[in-house]
Amino acid sequence: MFKVAVIKGDGIGPEIIDETLKVLDVVKEKYNHKFEYKFVLAGGCAIDEYGIPLPEETIEICKNSDAVLLGAVGGPKWDNPNGKVRPEQALLGLRGALGLYCNLRPALLYAPLRNASPLKDEIIGDGIDFCVVRELTGGIYFGERGRSEENGEQVAYDTEKYSVSEVRRIAKNAFEIARKRNKKVTSVDKANVLESSRLWRTVVEEVAKDYSDVTLDHLYIDNAAMQIVKNPRQFDVLVTSNIFGDILSDEASMVTGSIGMLPSASIGEGNIGMYEPAHGSAPDIAGKGIANPLATILSAAMMLRYSFNLDKEAKDIEDAVSKVLEDGYRTGDIMSNGMKLVGTKEMGDLVVSAMRK
Ligand code: IPM
Ligand code: MN
């Protein structure tokens, strides 16, 4: 039996999670697995209920689960950047509390969605398929920050700081993943300016010695941002710091057509992981039944693969998603001429029936 802590969250979170649970029900029946769900609050809904974004009870239940499945958190209701409690603190808190230092964000262009990519045909070529490996519990997100007074005015600071062991473990993850893919790692940093990047680069090069079958190169972050739109096919695995990975993974998602398609996995030392779509809570379309549930459904597939070691079952979900796209069904975000427009529920049902076939 696999124990899953489910965080529906805010905005479109509940809708897309409901579709994902329908898909997991098929996996249950078809392969005779048992999933036990515990529904917990985090983000804006937890602020409303408890006054804090990440209640202790939520952390406890997540820690005692095999995986966390999360919809999305946040929304304009709680959007006060100066506020003491913010929904995003739930995400950072969970990543830290569960030790999820490695964030995998695959950027894969599904062949039937070529038209949804903003890139020109000749740039897409025979397809885009790379994976951003983002360090998730260090760097400027978790470094010392504060405010003080200098020369009679207020100043604010955040600190980018990495230790050798933090870089080493994420680099190892990147090389291991590359081994199972096309054996190429591109490490992204700003070593021409930042001391933390110079350490990053040295450590990645050291780790590379144990992976002579994998090619390593380095790019500066500004150049990497450019190369993703200029020639995305050069990439296999991109490994980078917390903040650079945050930015690059949004860019990567866009070249594949829609952020509504991209899953993500956050993993650590053990088997426990947190699985969530790469997109946010999309408050503008919440409750309308038009959100794309595929990124969350594909995140559940990653959960089966990385936390439960159920490769066949994961592939079953991924194949069903491909089939539905090949059959021409689209939610609004990936809609193009001549395709069949469907809503959130219908899209979930289509994946379910493709799996039952
Ligand atoms: C993401 C999000 C979060 C991040 C925010 C909401 C804290 O943008 O998961 O990419 O920056 O990590
Ligand atoms: Mn982000």
Side-chain angles (χ1 to χ4, degrees):
M1 178 167 75
F2 300 105
K3 292 194 275 184
V4 185
V6 182
I7 301 173
K8 292 190 178 189
D10 311 314
I12 59 171
E15 303 162 56
I16 54 183
I17 287 286
D18 285 346
E19 297 317 303
T20 304
L21 295 179
K22 286 198 316 212
V23 170
L24 285 174
D25 281 344
V26 182
V27 174
K28 260 202 295 208
E29 287 164 31
K30 215 170 144 177
Y31 299 93
N32 226 339
H33 294 305
K34 286 213 169 76
F35 300 131
E36 183 198 78
Y37 303 121
K38 288 224 165 106
F39 295 89
V40 288
L41 294 185
C45 51
I47 294 179
D48 288 348
E49 182 83 17
Y50 302 99
I52 47 170
L54 186 59
E56 201 52 47
E57 188 198 31
T58 297
I59 301 180
E60 267 322 295
I61 289 177
C62 290
K63 274 190 180 162
N64 289 313
S65 302
D66 300 307
V68 181
L69 184 64
L70 184 144
V73 298
K77 183 174 173 195
W78 309 279
D79 248 356
N80 172 11
N82 294 319
K84 276 241 152 27
V85 285
R86 276 169 285 117
E88 302 80 49
Q89 291 163 342
L91 283 183
L92 301 182
L94 279 171
R95 289 168 186 172
L98 303 176
L100 308 174
Y101 67 86
C102 174
N103 183 217
L104 309 177
R105 296 190 169 177
L108 172 67
L109 176 62
Y110 284 81
L113 293 184
R114 266 187 97 91
N115 288 335
S117 171
L119 297 183
K120 289 195 189 115
D121 223 37
E122 65 257 35
I123 292 178
I124 298 173
D126 57 4
I128 298 171
D129 180 1
F130 62 94
C131 183
V132 178
V133 177
R134 168 188 177 192
E135 200 292 324
L136 203 60
T137 53
I140 201 163
Y141 272 63
F142 287 83
E144 194 191 323
R145 71 180 96 250
R147 293 192 183 215
S148 58
E149 191 120 37
E150 268 172 32
N151 307 320
E153 61 175 347
Q154 204 180 134
V155 295
Y157 63 93
D158 302 271
T159 324
E160 175 81 346
K161 177 171 158 185
Y162 272 110
S163 68
V164 168
S165 56
E166 281 176 313
V167 181
R168 191 179 287 136
R169 65 183 182 183
I170 190 74
K172 277 190 184 161
N173 275 289
F175 282 102
E176 290 293 336
I177 291 160
R179 253 189 189 158
K180 294 190 194 144
R181 295 179 45 106
N182 293 316
K183 300 192 164 50
K184 183 178 171 194
V185 169
T186 304
S187 172
V188 176
D189 62 37
K190 190 71 186 175
N192 48 348
V193 179
L194 304 178
E195 197 55 40
S196 52
S197 281
R198 286 191 274 273
L199 178 86
W200 179 281
R201 198 176 271 226
T202 315
V203 175
V204 172
E205 270 168 4
E206 253 169 50
V207 172
K209 290 183 191 147
D210 294 333
Y211 296 87
S212 53
D213 52 326
V214 178
T215 326
L216 168 68
D217 59 12
H218 304 273
L219 283 183
Y220 296 138
I221 174 68
D222 47 352
N223 188 16
M226 181 175 83
Q227 296 296 332
I228 285 179
V229 288
K230 192 174 168 217
N231 178 15
R233 279 181 296 151
Q234 70 186 285
F235 296 125
D236 179 28
V237 172
L238 277 167
V239 62
T240 192
S241 65
N242 205 340
I243 186 133
F244 292 162
D246 178 44
I247 299 164
L248 282 190
S249 59
D250 262 35
E251 188 191 7
S253 73
M254 212 48 238
V255 305
T256 65
S258 170
I259 195 162
M261 290 298 303
L262 294 187
S264 87
S266 304
I267 54 181
E269 299 296 354
N271 271 342
I272 184 167
M274 183 157 82
Y275 301 85
E276 58 181 310
H279 60 71
S281 60
D284 51 320
I285 59 165
K288 295 188 178 156
I290 58 173
N292 185 351
L294 293 179
T296 317
I297 291 172
L298 291 167
S299 300
M302 290 185 94
M303 173 177 87
L304 300 182
R305 179 173 291 122
Y306 291 106
S307 283
F308 306 163
N309 282 314
L310 301 175
D311 277 329
K312 193 171 51 169
E313 291 82 342
K315 188 151 185 312
D316 195 355
I317 296 180
E318 290 159 352
D319 288 347
V321 168
S322 294
K323 178 76 177 41
V324 170
L325 295 172
E326 274 155 27
D327 289 345
Y329 296 102
R330 303 282 187 274
T331 42
D333 57 314
I334 48 174
M335 184 59 189
S336 63
N337 261 344
M339 298 294 131
K340 292 168 264 195
L341 184 66
V342 297
T344 311
K345 260 181 144 29
E346 242 177 312
M347 189 52 108
D349 290 339
L350 285 160
V351 176
V352 163
S353 49
M355 288 177 73
R356 287 230 168 92
K357 276 214 182 95

